[in-house]
Each structure stands twice: as C-alpha cells, then as structure tokens.
C-alpha cells in the first residue's frame, strides 16, 4: 500500500475517537495509513505500507533543505512504533469504560534512510474497524486535515466532520472534551474557548474550504 494525500477518507468513529497519546505528526501519519486501508477495503491479515519520506516530511511541515529533516523523520518513526490506541469494543455504549481493547498500531517498522523510504506493517487487529462502515463514521479530506497545525485543531476538525453525517449542530461539552481526550482539562469553559476552540476555529477557517 502507498499513501495518497489527495483524497477523501471515511473512518469508523471507534477509531477516530480512540484513546491515544500521539503527537500531531504521529496522529496524521496514522490517519493517512487508515485512509489507505479504508479506501482499499482491507481484508488482509497483513497490511504493509511504503512511502516517500521526503514527501511525507513536506506534508507534515518537517522538511528543510538541509539534512535535518531526515533526523526528524527517523525520530518520528522511532516513537510511532511504540504507539497504541484504546478502542471501545464495537456495539458498546458511548464512552463505555468497562468494555474496551488496547491495540498496538504497528507490528513492524523498516527504515531505509539511503532510499528515503519507510515501511510499516500495521496491526491486523485494526482491520475489523475499517470494514463495512455504514453508520457512525467520520469523513473528511486528507489534504485538509494534514494542513491544519497544532494537536487540538485537527481533532476539532475531525469532530466537526463526525457530526455532519448525523445532521447534528451541537454536542454536550463533556462529550466534546472526551472526544478530544481532554476530560480532565479546562474545567473553566472560558479557558476551553480561548485555548482550544478559538485557535481551532482560526486554523480551520484559514486552511480549509
């Protein structure tokens, strides 16, 4: 599988709002891989990705004319191989704290600095969450998501696109914070507005259509 930056992708909400501790760049690479799997209706028990590190670095805003970008990408891949997500089991109730599964993202990583390519073997336990998505899904443009800076802003962008197919224009604030992984943060609503909502609104308006 190769990564396609200029496309629309659909994701199950269990995946989109799983509990994880990824950086902005880790999250974006992860979503790129999920997009490739989703578009190809992945059913294989083994899914291997290869991609051009230079192009990916440019898309992530990590590229520079000097060789420093290679060091940044190597560090990114080193950290990604240790990442996992905690997903609510399918058919569980919203925010079910008793029925979940933690899945490592990748089985293997091969890094080739000379050819400027990297290869990821994605964990097969993710595959069931990428098939037969007919409801409770999120759909958005990959290139738009990649262009949005910050860690919170892409998540707000994704959350808005979760609500669109369901025809919703509002969401309870506690559920909103939970979706963003901020349940224990910003107890005062005005700080949530100033630190998360306003910056996300500015970034999304500037970078998306």
């Amino acid at each position: 599988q190769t990564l396609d930056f200029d496309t629309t992708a659909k994701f199950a909400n269990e995946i989109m709002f799983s509990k994880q501790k990824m950086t902005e760049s880790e999250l974006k690479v992860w979503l790129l891989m999920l997009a490739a799997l989703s578009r190809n209706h992945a059913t294989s028990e083994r899914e291997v990705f290869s991609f051009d590190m230079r192009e990916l670095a440019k898309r992530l805003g990590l590229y520079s004319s000097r060789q420093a970008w290679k060091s940044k990408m190597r560090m990114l891949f080193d950290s990604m191989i240790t990442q996992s997500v905690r997903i609510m089991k399918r058919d569980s109730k919203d925010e079910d704290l008793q029925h979940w599964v933690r899945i490592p993202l990748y089985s293997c990583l091969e890094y080739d600095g000379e050819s400027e390519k990297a290869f990821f073997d994605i964990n097969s336990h993710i595959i069931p969450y990428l098939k037969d998505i007919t409801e409770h899904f999120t759909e958005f443009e990959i290139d738009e998501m990649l262009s949005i800076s910050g860690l919170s802003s892409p998540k707000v962008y994704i959350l808005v696109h979760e609500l669109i197919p369901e025809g919703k224009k509002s969401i309870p604030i506690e559920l909103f914070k939970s979706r963003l992984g901020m349940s224990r943060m910003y107890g005062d609503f005005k700080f949530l507005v100033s630190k998360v909502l306003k910056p996300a609104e500015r970034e999304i308006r500037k970078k998306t259509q």
Side-chain angles (χ1 to χ4, degrees):
Q1 301 253 17
T2 56
L3 302 186
D4 183 359
F5 299 98
D6 304 310
T7 187
T8 299
K10 182 189 292 187
F11 304 90
N13 285 346
E14 297 103 323
I15 287 283
M16 292 308 346
F17 298 102
S18 57
K19 305 301 182 184
Q20 43 78 19
K21 296 182 180 180
M22 286 184 254
T23 65
E24 175 187 347
S25 293
E26 289 169 349
L27 177 64
K28 289 178 176 180
V29 175
W30 170 235
L31 293 178
L32 269 172
M33 294 184 183
L34 290 182
L37 282 167
S38 177
R39 285 195 308 277
N40 288 283
H41 306 289
T43 57
S44 170
E45 301 220 348
R46 190 164 187 266
E47 296 291 340
V48 179
F49 292 88
S50 67
F51 50 86
D52 184 298
M53 288 188 288
R54 187 183 296 263
E55 175 66 15
L56 184 61
K58 290 177 180 178
R59 296 281 183 160
L60 296 176
L62 301 177
Y63 183 76
S64 63
S65 57
R66 299 181 179 179
Q67 292 296 306
W69 69 270
K70 287 190 177 182
S71 176
K72 293 177 182 178
M73 295 301 287
R74 185 172 61 251
M75 292 173 63
L76 170 61
F77 297 148
D78 265 349
S79 62
M80 286 185 65
I81 198 63
T82 66
Q83 288 289 354
S84 64
V85 291
R86 196 181 84 182
I87 300 174
M88 287 188 299
K89 292 285 287 186
R90 183 146 290 181
D91 300 323
S92 295
K93 296 180 180 179
D94 277 353
E95 308 307 310
D96 187 343
L97 301 180
Q98 306 301 322
H99 198 190
W100 51 264
V101 57
R102 181 167 290 280
I103 306 174
L105 302 187
Y106 310 104
S107 302
C108 182
L109 160 68
E110 179 182 343
Y111 175 90
D112 188 342
E114 185 175 352
S115 69
E116 297 183 357
K117 288 192 176 294
F119 305 85
F120 279 104
D121 190 345
I122 204 162
N123 194 316
S124 62
H125 290 283
I126 294 292
I127 303 301
Y129 293 90
L130 302 174
K131 298 191 298 181
D132 305 321
I133 306 172
T134 58
E135 59 181 355
H136 304 303
F137 64 85
T138 304
E139 188 170 15
F140 54 82
E141 297 288 337
I142 287 293
D143 58 344
E144 286 190 347
M145 184 273 295
L146 290 174
S147 72
I148 298 171
S149 301
L151 185 56
S152 297
S153 296
K155 291 182 178 181
V156 173
Y157 171 82
I158 290 168
L159 178 55
V160 169
H161 281 265
E162 177 205 12
L163 300 176
I164 291 173
E166 300 178 6
K168 296 179 180 178
K169 295 184 179 180
S170 63
I171 183 173
I173 191 63
E174 292 306 319
L175 180 57
F176 175 84
K177 290 170 61 177
S178 176
R179 286 284 201 254
L180 299 183
M182 299 177 177
S183 296
R184 299 182 181 181
M185 301 171 63
Y186 304 113
D188 191 325
F189 182 70
K190 68 180 180 183
F191 289 117
L192 179 68
V193 171
S194 63
K195 299 294 186 181
V196 178
L197 295 179
K198 287 296 185 182
E201 180 185 14
R202 288 193 297 268
E203 185 69 11
I204 292 170
R205 286 185 181 276
K206 181 172 65 173
K207 299 290 181 62
T208 66
Q209 297 179 351

